[in-house]
Amino acid sequence: MASNDKKEIVLSGIRSTGNLHLGNYFGALSKFVRMQDDYDSNFFIADLHALTTNPDPAELHANVKNIVAEYLAAGLDPEKATIFVQSDIPEVSELYLLLNMHVGIGELMRTASFKDKARKQLGIHVPAAGEKDDSDEDIEKQIIGNESRSKRVNAGLLTYPTLMAVDILIQKANWVPVGKDQEQHLELTRRFARRFNSFYKTDMFVEPANFNFGGQAVKVPGLDGSGKMGKSEGNCIYLIDDEKTLRKKVMRAVTDEGPKEPNQPISEPVANLLTLMELTSTPIPCNTSAMPTPIAPSAMATSRSNSPRIYSRSPFPYASASSTSEATTNISDRCSVVVPSVHASAPQPLWPKPAR
């Protein structure tokens, strides 16, 4: 293995709460694979973080093994990156206890993720994007006042940012690739590092930065018509789903009634499906000169009966190709997105990429 002494340290992990889905892949795993050649990369399975959702112990251990397997299947190379289980490092739990002594309850309760997850666990309404949120005092009353024997928010959920900070600081990570929903936690990590260093008059911890690949952050939508893909929402396409399961999920995805007037904006559910198609398809530059010649109406009946057709949303019918592969090539020449064919022997509907 090549020496990583002079390389900057990168750290990231995924909670072991179930199999990984497309959101995990495009938001994290695919980036892990890109980083492992150029950085001292450390990727872990966050089984301690998973305890905040009270998982079944047997499922927790099985999920750890499944995620390790999916890390490897996605392209992480143990010869290039360090892959480990969070609970295998006892110093993480020890520093978690010590760092909590320098963290205020108020700053933890003000984190957006805690408020949202606590409400979900207690069955309290979670404000949608753009909807006015309650004051911190009202939220505190909601959470504390709604706890019961059957529903409660465990302290681990409140101190989740502290444990995340420990994961990062104990490895002295320079870079941490996080999504938009984790940026607040990363800022808290920097704050905790400064506080610890100042209190003990030391330069023990490095202040990490968010690793930005450039461009906008990828938001992978779910199959339920709104929001992002997530395990708790039950709207996922998992990396281990077989062809039959994939087809069943996609066919049941939320759509709409279709356009009711010309130039009507695409609804959010349909736009979400097109986003998924774009993420999982191969982009091909549009070539308008490759468009086939429109056929006369009198020839359409003959062409339909003699060869397979591939349909497209276009102002006029296109001449059918003599074979499926040729037809696919014609469509590929003029479309920016190609949907992978499930069965090579049967033509699949293909559409040009919608204008954004």
Side-chain angles (χ1 to χ4, degrees):
M1 185 187 304
S3 174
N4 289 328
D5 293 345
K6 296 183 180 180
K7 292 183 178 180
E8 290 187 305
I9 300 172
V10 167
L11 177 98
S12 193
I14 298 177
R15 295 171 67 220
S16 53
T17 53
N19 291 111
L20 304 183
H21 52 74
L22 288 183
N24 297 131
Y25 179 77
F26 289 108
L29 263 181
S30 60
K31 296 177 181 178
F32 294 176
V33 175
R34 289 166 56 188
M35 300 167 74
Q36 64 183 349
D37 288 316
D38 302 318
Y39 296 88
D40 179 359
S41 300
N42 301 267
F43 304 120
F44 66 98
I45 296 88
D47 56 340
L48 295 179
H49 283 293
L51 296 175
T52 60
T53 52
N54 300 307
D56 178 86
E59 290 183 0
L60 177 64
H61 292 294
N63 288 337
V64 169
K65 296 176 182 178
N66 289 338
I67 291 183
V68 171
E70 289 172 324
Y71 272 7
L72 300 177
L76 284 183
D77 186 349
E79 294 297 322
K80 298 178 180 179
T82 301
I83 302 173
F84 63 96
V85 179
Q86 183 184 28
S87 62
D88 283 346
I89 303 178
E91 291 83 359
V92 169
S93 298
E94 293 171 7
L95 183 57
Y96 174 48
L97 171 66
L98 296 174
L99 192 60
N100 265 326
M101 305 306 168
H102 297 276
V103 176
I105 294 177
E107 58 190 343
L108 293 175
M109 291 198 70
R110 285 191 292 271
T111 59
S113 62
F114 170 71
K115 291 185 285 189
D116 290 346
K117 291 179 180 179
R119 283 165 163 165
K120 286 180 181 179
Q121 287 191 8
L122 297 173
I124 302 173
H125 171 68
V126 179
E131 187 177 345
K132 185 178 179 180
D133 201 351
D134 298 320
S135 67
D136 291 335
E137 184 178 351
D138 292 334
I139 294 168
E140 183 179 340
K141 290 178 180 178
Q142 283 181 351
I143 295 172
I144 297 176
N146 280 277
E147 286 199 332
S148 65
R149 290 185 178 181
S150 59
K151 292 183 178 180
R152 66 181 183 277
V153 178
N154 66 49
L157 186 63
L158 177 65
T159 58
Y160 186 103
T162 309
L163 182 55
M164 177 175 168
V166 169
D167 292 326
I168 298 167
L169 298 178
I170 203 169
Q171 300 288 348
K172 299 186 182 296
N174 305 104
W175 300 100
V176 183
V178 297
K180 196 169 187 64
D181 58 336
Q182 294 287 324
E183 287 179 349
Q184 186 180 22
H185 289 177
L186 189 60
E187 179 56 40
L188 284 175
T189 299
R190 288 191 283 266
R191 183 191 302 176
F192 298 162
R194 290 193 297 270
R195 186 178 299 165
F196 188 98
N197 289 345
S198 174
F199 186 85
Y200 291 106
K201 297 179 174 54
T202 182
D203 292 326
M204 175 69 69
F205 296 131
V206 176
E207 292 188 35
N210 188 3
F211 192 102
N212 189 350
F213 282 88
Q216 295 182 346
V218 176
K219 180 183 178 182
V220 180
L223 296 174
D224 56 354
S226 62
K228 69 174 186 177
M229 188 171 290
K231 299 169 189 174
S232 59
E233 285 76 15
N235 60 7
C236 298
I237 293 177
Y238 292 102
L239 302 184
I240 65 166
D241 285 343
D242 56 27
E243 180 181 322
K244 182 179 179 180
T245 303
L246 284 171
R247 182 180 292 276
K248 187 176 181 180
K249 285 184 176 181
V250 172
M251 294 300 289
R252 288 184 175 181
V254 176
T255 55
D256 62 8
E257 299 175 352
K260 298 181 179 179
E261 57 185 44
N263 301 318
Q264 178 178 323
I266 298 176
S267 65
E268 183 178 6
V270 173
N272 286 346
L273 290 178
L274 292 173
T275 299
L276 286 173
M277 183 179 75
E278 183 175 3
L279 286 170
T280 58
S281 305
T282 305
I284 298 178
C286 198
N287 182 4
T288 55
S289 63
M291 284 188 175
T293 306
I295 61 173
S298 58
M300 290 177 64
T302 304
S303 65
R304 285 197 188 101
S305 60
N306 292 342
S307 61
R309 287 186 58 80
I310 290 184
Y311 298 94
S312 64
R313 289 177 178 170
S314 56
F316 50 83
Y318 289 93
S320 60
S322 58
S323 68
T324 302
S325 60
E326 182 182 345
T328 304
T329 302
N330 289 341
I331 294 290
S332 301
D333 287 342
R334 58 189 173 82
C335 291
S336 57
V337 174
V338 178
V339 179
S341 174
V342 176
H343 300 292
S345 59
Q348 302 294 313
L350 300 172
W351 295 275
K353 178 181 176 182
R356 293 189 180 274

PDB file of all heavy atoms in Angstrom, residues 6 16 42-43 83 90 95 101 104 108 110 116 167 171 196 220 226 249 255-256 258 260-261 278 306 317 319 323 345:
ATOM      1  N   LYS A   6       1.715  12.064   3.655  1.00  0.00           N
ATOM      2  CA  LYS A   6       1.641  13.441   3.179  1.00  0.00           C
ATOM      3  C   LYS A   6       0.265  13.796   2.617  1.00  0.00           C
ATOM      4  O   LYS A   6       0.060  14.914   2.157  1.00  0.00           O
ATOM      5  CB  LYS A   6       2.714  13.673   2.116  1.00  0.00           C
ATOM      6  CG  LYS A   6       4.141  13.534   2.645  1.00  0.00           C
ATOM      7  CD  LYS A   6       5.171  13.845   1.565  1.00  0.00           C
ATOM      8  CE  LYS A   6       6.588  13.709   2.120  1.00  0.00           C
ATOM      9  NZ  LYS A   6       7.611  14.001   1.081  1.00  0.00           N
ATOM     10  N   SER A  16     -25.602   2.348  10.098  1.00  0.00           N
ATOM     11  CA  SER A  16     -25.992   0.967   9.769  1.00  0.00           C
ATOM     12  C   SER A  16     -27.446   0.723  10.178  1.00  0.00           C
ATOM     13  O   SER A  16     -27.744  -0.032  11.096  1.00  0.00           O
ATOM     14  CB  SER A  16     -25.065  -0.020  10.486  1.00  0.00           C
ATOM     15  OG  SER A  16     -25.024   0.264  11.875  1.00  0.00           O
ATOM     16  N   ASN A  42     -10.694   7.555   5.099  1.00  0.00           N
ATOM     17  CA  ASN A  42     -11.186   6.727   6.199  1.00  0.00           C
ATOM     18  C   ASN A  42     -12.710   6.717   6.163  1.00  0.00           C
ATOM     19  O   ASN A  42     -13.348   7.755   6.385  1.00  0.00           O
ATOM     20  CB  ASN A  42     -10.706   7.293   7.535  1.00  0.00           C
ATOM     21  CG  ASN A  42      -9.198   7.370   7.641  1.00  0.00           C
ATOM     22  OD1 ASN A  42      -8.554   6.462   8.144  1.00  0.00           O
ATOM     23  ND2 ASN A  42      -8.621   8.462   7.160  1.00  0.00           N
ATOM     24  N   PHE A  43     -13.277   5.562   5.883  1.00  0.00           N
ATOM     25  CA  PHE A  43     -14.725   5.432   5.766  1.00  0.00           C
ATOM     26  C   PHE A  43     -15.207   4.366   6.746  1.00  0.00           C
ATOM     27  O   PHE A  43     -14.676   3.254   6.772  1.00  0.00           O
ATOM     28  CB  PHE A  43     -15.105   5.061   4.334  1.00  0.00           C
ATOM     29  CG  PHE A  43     -14.581   6.039   3.305  1.00  0.00           C
ATOM     30  CD1 PHE A  43     -13.713   5.622   2.307  1.00  0.00           C
ATOM     31  CD2 PHE A  43     -14.921   7.380   3.365  1.00  0.00           C
ATOM     32  CE1 PHE A  43     -13.214   6.509   1.372  1.00  0.00           C
ATOM     33  CE2 PHE A  43     -14.418   8.287   2.437  1.00  0.00           C
ATOM     34  CZ  PHE A  43     -13.568   7.851   1.440  1.00  0.00           C
ATOM     35  N   ILE A  83     -11.286   1.091   6.027  1.00  0.00           N
ATOM     36  CA  ILE A  83     -12.704   0.839   6.274  1.00  0.00           C
ATOM     37  C   ILE A  83     -12.824   0.212   7.660  1.00  0.00           C
ATOM     38  O   ILE A  83     -12.168  -0.797   7.943  1.00  0.00           O
ATOM     39  CB  ILE A  83     -13.296  -0.095   5.194  1.00  0.00           C
ATOM     40  CG1 ILE A  83     -13.117   0.526   3.798  1.00  0.00           C
ATOM     41  CG2 ILE A  83     -14.772  -0.374   5.468  1.00  0.00           C
ATOM     42  CD1 ILE A  83     -13.507  -0.401   2.657  1.00  0.00           C
ATOM     43  N   PRO A  90     -12.725   1.953  20.903  1.00  0.00           N
ATOM     44  CA  PRO A  90     -13.265   2.359  22.211  1.00  0.00           C
ATOM     45  C   PRO A  90     -12.990   3.823  22.546  1.00  0.00           C
ATOM     46  O   PRO A  90     -13.728   4.446  23.305  1.00  0.00           O
ATOM     47  CB  PRO A  90     -12.576   1.411  23.195  1.00  0.00           C
ATOM     48  CG  PRO A  90     -11.361   0.913  22.480  1.00  0.00           C
ATOM     49  CD  PRO A  90     -11.721   0.884  21.036  1.00  0.00           C
ATOM     50  N   LEU A  95     -14.032   9.626  24.249  1.00  0.00           N
ATOM     51  CA  LEU A  95     -13.978  11.049  23.926  1.00  0.00           C
ATOM     52  C   LEU A  95     -15.389  11.633  23.830  1.00  0.00           C
ATOM     53  O   LEU A  95     -15.604  12.812  24.137  1.00  0.00           O
ATOM     54  CB  LEU A  95     -13.211  11.264  22.622  1.00  0.00           C
ATOM     55  CG  LEU A  95     -13.009  12.722  22.200  1.00  0.00           C
ATOM     56  CD1 LEU A  95     -12.283  13.517  23.289  1.00  0.00           C
ATOM     57  CD2 LEU A  95     -12.222  12.797  20.884  1.00  0.00           C
ATOM     58  N   MET A 101     -18.970  17.155  28.046  1.00  0.00           N
ATOM     59  CA  MET A 101     -18.824  18.047  29.191  1.00  0.00           C
ATOM     60  C   MET A 101     -18.568  19.487  28.763  1.00  0.00           C
ATOM     61  O   MET A 101     -18.640  20.412  29.580  1.00  0.00           O
ATOM     62  CB  MET A 101     -17.677  17.577  30.102  1.00  0.00           C
ATOM     63  CG  MET A 101     -17.814  16.139  30.578  1.00  0.00           C
ATOM     64  SD  MET A 101     -19.406  15.822  31.376  1.00  0.00           S
ATOM     65  CE  MET A 101     -19.379  14.034  31.473  1.00  0.00           C
ATOM     66  N   GLY A 104     -23.175  22.518  25.296  1.00  0.00           N
ATOM     67  CA  GLY A 104     -24.386  22.981  25.956  1.00  0.00           C
ATOM     68  C   GLY A 104     -25.637  22.299  25.425  1.00  0.00           C
ATOM     69  O   GLY A 104     -25.742  22.014  24.227  1.00  0.00           O
ATOM     70  N   LEU A 108     -27.432  22.079  21.341  1.00  0.00           N
ATOM     71  CA  LEU A 108     -27.815  20.799  20.747  1.00  0.00           C
ATOM     72  C   LEU A 108     -29.301  20.781  20.384  1.00  0.00           C
ATOM     73  O   LEU A 108     -29.693  20.274  19.336  1.00  0.00           O
ATOM     74  CB  LEU A 108     -27.506  19.652  21.709  1.00  0.00           C
ATOM     75  CG  LEU A 108     -26.030  19.375  22.006  1.00  0.00           C
ATOM     76  CD1 LEU A 108     -25.895  18.281  23.066  1.00  0.00           C
ATOM     77  CD2 LEU A 108     -25.282  18.979  20.739  1.00  0.00           C
ATOM     78  N   ARG A 110     -31.099  23.224  19.505  1.00  0.00           N
ATOM     79  CA  ARG A 110     -31.404  24.147  18.416  1.00  0.00           C
ATOM     80  C   ARG A 110     -31.065  23.591  17.041  1.00  0.00           C
ATOM     81  O   ARG A 110     -31.388  24.214  16.022  1.00  0.00           O
ATOM     82  CB  ARG A 110     -30.670  25.473  18.630  1.00  0.00           C
ATOM     83  CG  ARG A 110     -31.287  26.348  19.707  1.00  0.00           C
ATOM     84  CD  ARG A 110     -30.700  27.752  19.688  1.00  0.00           C
ATOM     85  NE  ARG A 110     -29.298  27.771  20.101  1.00  0.00           N
ATOM     86  CZ  ARG A 110     -28.891  27.900  21.362  1.00  0.00           C
ATOM     87  NH1 ARG A 110     -29.783  27.991  22.338  1.00  0.00           N
ATOM     88  NH2 ARG A 110     -27.607  27.933  21.660  1.00  0.00           N
ATOM     89  N   ASP A 116     -36.402  17.953  13.971  1.00  0.00           N
ATOM     90  CA  ASP A 116     -37.181  17.167  13.010  1.00  0.00           C
ATOM     91  C   ASP A 116     -37.313  15.710  13.446  1.00  0.00           C
ATOM     92  O   ASP A 116     -38.413  15.139  13.425  1.00  0.00           O
ATOM     93  CB  ASP A 116     -36.532  17.240  11.626  1.00  0.00           C
ATOM     94  CG  ASP A 116     -36.674  18.616  10.992  1.00  0.00           C
ATOM     95  OD1 ASP A 116     -37.493  19.410  11.497  1.00  0.00           O
ATOM     96  OD2 ASP A 116     -35.959  18.898  10.014  1.00  0.00           O
ATOM     97  N   ASP A 167     -16.154  11.569  15.977  1.00  0.00           N
ATOM     98  CA  ASP A 167     -15.728  10.765  14.821  1.00  0.00           C
ATOM     99  C   ASP A 167     -14.712  11.517  13.975  1.00  0.00           C
ATOM    100  O   ASP A 167     -13.709  10.950  13.511  1.00  0.00           O
ATOM    101  CB  ASP A 167     -16.939  10.420  13.945  1.00  0.00           C
ATOM    102  CG  ASP A 167     -17.902   9.467  14.616  1.00  0.00           C
ATOM    103  OD1 ASP A 167     -17.440   8.604  15.383  1.00  0.00           O
ATOM    104  OD2 ASP A 167     -19.120   9.585  14.371  1.00  0.00           O
ATOM    105  N   GLN A 171      -9.927  11.503  14.432  1.00  0.00           N
ATOM    106  CA  GLN A 171      -9.124  11.099  13.271  1.00  0.00           C
ATOM    107  C   GLN A 171      -8.301  12.257  12.712  1.00  0.00           C
ATOM    108  O   GLN A 171      -7.574  12.084  11.740  1.00  0.00           O
ATOM    109  CB  GLN A 171     -10.042  10.551  12.164  1.00  0.00           C
ATOM    110  CG  GLN A 171     -10.873   9.345  12.564  1.00  0.00           C
ATOM    111  CD  GLN A 171     -10.051   8.083  12.702  1.00  0.00           C
ATOM    112  OE1 GLN A 171      -8.894   8.040  12.290  1.00  0.00           O
ATOM    113  NE2 GLN A 171     -10.647   7.053  13.296  1.00  0.00           N
ATOM    114  N   PHE A 196     -12.556  23.217  22.899  1.00  0.00           N
ATOM    115  CA  PHE A 196     -11.680  22.264  23.595  1.00  0.00           C
ATOM    116  C   PHE A 196     -10.244  22.765  23.599  1.00  0.00           C
ATOM    117  O   PHE A 196      -9.568  22.760  24.638  1.00  0.00           O
ATOM    118  CB  PHE A 196     -11.778  20.894  22.920  1.00  0.00           C
ATOM    119  CG  PHE A 196     -11.072  19.787  23.654  1.00  0.00           C
ATOM    120  CD1 PHE A 196     -11.778  18.928  24.502  1.00  0.00           C
ATOM    121  CD2 PHE A 196      -9.704  19.574  23.501  1.00  0.00           C
ATOM    122  CE1 PHE A 196     -11.131  17.898  25.185  1.00  0.00           C
ATOM    123  CE2 PHE A 196      -9.056  18.552  24.166  1.00  0.00           C
ATOM    124  CZ  PHE A 196      -9.768  17.713  25.015  1.00  0.00           C
ATOM    125  N   VAL A 220     -31.301  13.265  -4.139  1.00  0.00           N
ATOM    126  CA  VAL A 220     -31.957  12.141  -4.805  1.00  0.00           C
ATOM    127  C   VAL A 220     -33.388  12.033  -4.271  1.00  0.00           C
ATOM    128  O   VAL A 220     -33.585  11.766  -3.076  1.00  0.00           O
ATOM    129  CB  VAL A 220     -31.191  10.831  -4.558  1.00  0.00           C
ATOM    130  CG1 VAL A 220     -31.875   9.667  -5.264  1.00  0.00           C
ATOM    131  CG2 VAL A 220     -29.744  10.963  -5.034  1.00  0.00           C
ATOM    132  N   SER A 226     -42.452  13.368  -3.329  1.00  0.00           N
ATOM    133  CA  SER A 226     -41.880  14.573  -2.744  1.00  0.00           C
ATOM    134  C   SER A 226     -40.776  14.188  -1.768  1.00  0.00           C
ATOM    135  O   SER A 226     -40.687  13.045  -1.331  1.00  0.00           O
ATOM    136  CB  SER A 226     -42.956  15.379  -1.999  1.00  0.00           C
ATOM    137  OG  SER A 226     -43.483  14.632  -0.928  1.00  0.00           O
ATOM    138  N   LYS A 249     -41.338  -1.360  -7.884  1.00  0.00           N
ATOM    139  CA  LYS A 249     -41.262  -0.077  -7.187  1.00  0.00           C
ATOM    140  C   LYS A 249     -41.492   1.098  -8.136  1.00  0.00           C
ATOM    141  O   LYS A 249     -42.217   2.046  -7.818  1.00  0.00           O
ATOM    142  CB  LYS A 249     -39.905   0.075  -6.505  1.00  0.00           C
ATOM    143  CG  LYS A 249     -39.743  -0.768  -5.247  1.00  0.00           C
ATOM    144  CD  LYS A 249     -38.410  -0.474  -4.588  1.00  0.00           C
ATOM    145  CE  LYS A 249     -38.272  -1.241  -3.265  1.00  0.00           C
ATOM    146  NZ  LYS A 249     -36.986  -0.944  -2.599  1.00  0.00           N
ATOM    147  N   THR A 255     -47.081   9.545  -9.510  1.00  0.00           N
ATOM    148  CA  THR A 255     -46.965  10.424 -10.677  1.00  0.00           C
ATOM    149  C   THR A 255     -48.072  11.489 -10.592  1.00  0.00           C
ATOM    150  O   THR A 255     -48.306  12.056  -9.545  1.00  0.00           O
ATOM    151  CB  THR A 255     -47.070   9.620 -11.986  1.00  0.00           C
ATOM    152  OG1 THR A 255     -48.296   8.858 -11.991  1.00  0.00           O
ATOM    153  CG2 THR A 255     -45.900   8.651 -12.109  1.00  0.00           C
ATOM    154  N   ASP A 256     -48.760  11.752 -11.700  1.00  0.00           N
ATOM    155  CA  ASP A 256     -49.894  12.676 -11.685  1.00  0.00           C
ATOM    156  C   ASP A 256     -50.878  12.263 -12.766  1.00  0.00           C
ATOM    157  O   ASP A 256     -50.736  11.204 -13.383  1.00  0.00           O
ATOM    158  CB  ASP A 256     -49.433  14.123 -11.863  1.00  0.00           C
ATOM    159  CG  ASP A 256     -48.746  14.363 -13.207  1.00  0.00           C
ATOM    160  OD1 ASP A 256     -48.765  13.458 -14.068  1.00  0.00           O
ATOM    161  OD2 ASP A 256     -48.189  15.457 -13.399  1.00  0.00           O
ATOM    162  N   GLY A 258     -51.321  13.715 -15.598  1.00  0.00           N
ATOM    163  CA  GLY A 258     -50.873  14.117 -16.920  1.00  0.00           C
ATOM    164  C   GLY A 258     -51.204  15.572 -17.188  1.00  0.00           C
ATOM    165  O   GLY A 258     -52.005  16.191 -16.461  1.00  0.00           O
ATOM    166  N   LYS A 260     -52.841  18.954 -18.415  1.00  0.00           N
ATOM    167  CA  LYS A 260     -54.220  19.317 -18.736  1.00  0.00           C
ATOM    168  C   LYS A 260     -54.301  20.494 -19.684  1.00  0.00           C
ATOM    169  O   LYS A 260     -55.390  20.839 -20.172  1.00  0.00           O
ATOM    170  CB  LYS A 260     -54.979  19.632 -17.447  1.00  0.00           C
ATOM    171  CG  LYS A 260     -55.079  18.445 -16.495  1.00  0.00           C
ATOM    172  CD  LYS A 260     -55.854  18.804 -15.235  1.00  0.00           C
ATOM    173  CE  LYS A 260     -55.970  17.589 -14.312  1.00  0.00           C
ATOM    174  NZ  LYS A 260     -56.696  17.922 -13.057  1.00  0.00           N
ATOM    175  N   GLU A 261     -53.169  21.136 -19.967  1.00  0.00           N
ATOM    176  CA  GLU A 261     -53.128  22.258 -20.899  1.00  0.00           C
ATOM    177  C   GLU A 261     -51.734  22.353 -21.495  1.00  0.00           C
ATOM    178  O   GLU A 261     -50.772  21.843 -20.916  1.00  0.00           O
ATOM    179  CB  GLU A 261     -53.486  23.559 -20.176  1.00  0.00           C
ATOM    180  CG  GLU A 261     -52.587  23.869 -18.991  1.00  0.00           C
ATOM    181  CD  GLU A 261     -53.045  25.092 -18.227  1.00  0.00           C
ATOM    182  OE1 GLU A 261     -54.262  25.219 -17.986  1.00  0.00           O
ATOM    183  OE2 GLU A 261     -52.171  25.905 -17.871  1.00  0.00           O
ATOM    184  N   GLU A 278     -32.397  10.671 -14.926  1.00  0.00           N
ATOM    185  CA  GLU A 278     -31.175  11.378 -15.340  1.00  0.00           C
ATOM    186  C   GLU A 278     -29.964  10.895 -14.537  1.00  0.00           C
ATOM    187  O   GLU A 278     -28.871  10.707 -15.087  1.00  0.00           O
ATOM    188  CB  GLU A 278     -31.373  12.881 -15.142  1.00  0.00           C
ATOM    189  CG  GLU A 278     -30.197  13.722 -15.617  1.00  0.00           C
ATOM    190  CD  GLU A 278     -30.477  15.205 -15.516  1.00  0.00           C
ATOM    191  OE1 GLU A 278     -31.559  15.579 -15.032  1.00  0.00           O
ATOM    192  OE2 GLU A 278     -29.610  15.995 -15.919  1.00  0.00           O
ATOM    193  N   ASN A 306     -44.154  -4.612 -39.796  1.00  0.00           N
ATOM    194  CA  ASN A 306     -42.946  -5.302 -40.227  1.00  0.00           C
ATOM    195  C   ASN A 306     -41.775  -5.221 -39.260  1.00  0.00           C
ATOM    196  O   ASN A 306     -40.861  -6.032 -39.329  1.00  0.00           O
ATOM    197  CB  ASN A 306     -42.484  -4.729 -41.590  1.00  0.00           C
ATOM    198  CG  ASN A 306     -43.468  -5.086 -42.696  1.00  0.00           C
ATOM    199  OD1 ASN A 306     -44.283  -6.003 -42.538  1.00  0.00           O
ATOM    200  ND2 ASN A 306     -43.419  -4.355 -43.811  1.00  0.00           N
ATOM    201  N   PRO A 317     -44.181  11.293 -36.215  1.00  0.00           N
ATOM    202  CA  PRO A 317     -43.655   9.940 -36.072  1.00  0.00           C
ATOM    203  C   PRO A 317     -42.329   9.778 -36.790  1.00  0.00           C
ATOM    204  O   PRO A 317     -42.097  10.418 -37.812  1.00  0.00           O
ATOM    205  CB  PRO A 317     -44.743   9.065 -36.702  1.00  0.00           C
ATOM    206  CG  PRO A 317     -45.422   9.962 -37.672  1.00  0.00           C
ATOM    207  CD  PRO A 317     -45.374  11.343 -37.093  1.00  0.00           C
ATOM    208  N   ALA A 319     -39.420   7.196 -38.584  1.00  0.00           N
ATOM    209  CA  ALA A 319     -39.327   5.931 -39.307  1.00  0.00           C
ATOM    210  C   ALA A 319     -38.818   4.851 -38.369  1.00  0.00           C
ATOM    211  O   ALA A 319     -37.882   5.066 -37.616  1.00  0.00           O
ATOM    212  CB  ALA A 319     -38.379   6.077 -40.504  1.00  0.00           C
ATOM    213  N   SER A 323     -34.116  -3.012 -36.800  1.00  0.00           N
ATOM    214  CA  SER A 323     -33.814  -3.845 -35.642  1.00  0.00           C
ATOM    215  C   SER A 323     -33.856  -2.990 -34.401  1.00  0.00           C
ATOM    216  O   SER A 323     -33.774  -1.772 -34.459  1.00  0.00           O
ATOM    217  CB  SER A 323     -32.433  -4.486 -35.780  1.00  0.00           C
ATOM    218  OG  SER A 323     -31.441  -3.486 -35.694  1.00  0.00           O
ATOM    219  N   SER A 345     -34.212  -7.646 -26.195  1.00  0.00           N
ATOM    220  CA  SER A 345     -34.994  -8.072 -27.347  1.00  0.00           C
ATOM    221  C   SER A 345     -36.237  -7.230 -27.570  1.00  0.00           C
ATOM    222  O   SER A 345     -36.901  -7.350 -28.588  1.00  0.00           O
ATOM    223  CB  SER A 345     -35.429  -9.531 -27.161  1.00  0.00           C
ATOM    224  OG  SER A 345     -36.207  -9.660 -25.980  1.00  0.00           O
TER     225      SER A 345
END
